[in-house]
Amino acid sequence: MAVRAVRGAVQLEQDEAGHMGERVGALLTAVLERNSLVADDLISIWFTATPDLHSDFPAAAARGLGIVDVPLICAQELDITGAMPRVVRVLAHVETYLPKSEVVHVYLGATAALRKDIAQ
């Protein structure tokens, strides 16, 4: 079994706690499902949010999914002029048998434009 990093992102339509929970929850669910992972495979998750998001911590969505014994941390993205607004990104460290070439990085909706090279 290897340690792998899985990337992902989602854009919110509005800065509202319930909406953030739904969208980030959908992102985490997709990351797990598309990589055949369960919560026990998670080592840690880094969340970043663009500076225009203030309503909640993205990590709260993971806790809402029952991911309660995994270290989580939130940070703010750089405030770059012209960057896509209202984006939450994840970097999940996981234990998996998947080779690097088969790890599925998940960019939902418009965020696929952020990483056309790895978005599935």
Side-chain angles (χ1 to χ4, degrees), residues 2-3 8 16 58 63 70 81 108:
V3 173
E16 191 272 321
R63 300 294 184 222
V70 175
T81 301
L108 299 179

Side-chain angles (χ1 to χ4, degrees), residues 18-92:
H19 179 63
M20 181 180 289
E22 290 171 11
R23 300 298 293 142
V24 175
L27 174 61
L28 291 172
T29 298
V31 165
L32 293 172
E33 288 177 354
R34 293 182 192 180
N35 288 285
S36 300
L37 300 168
V38 295
D40 199 44
D41 297 324
L42 296 168
I43 297 169
S44 64
I45 305 175
W46 281 78
F47 295 89
T48 64
T50 50
D52 52 0
L53 294 174
H54 308 277
S55 62
D56 203 359
F57 294 100
R63 300 294 184 222
L65 290 175
I67 301 171
V68 296
D69 62 348
V70 175
L72 308 174
I73 192 164
C74 297
Q76 187 176 76
E77 282 287 331
L78 296 173
D79 190 8
I80 304 298
T81 301
M84 186 179 289
R86 299 176 316 281
V87 174
V88 174
R89 292 171 173 86
V90 299
L91 175 63

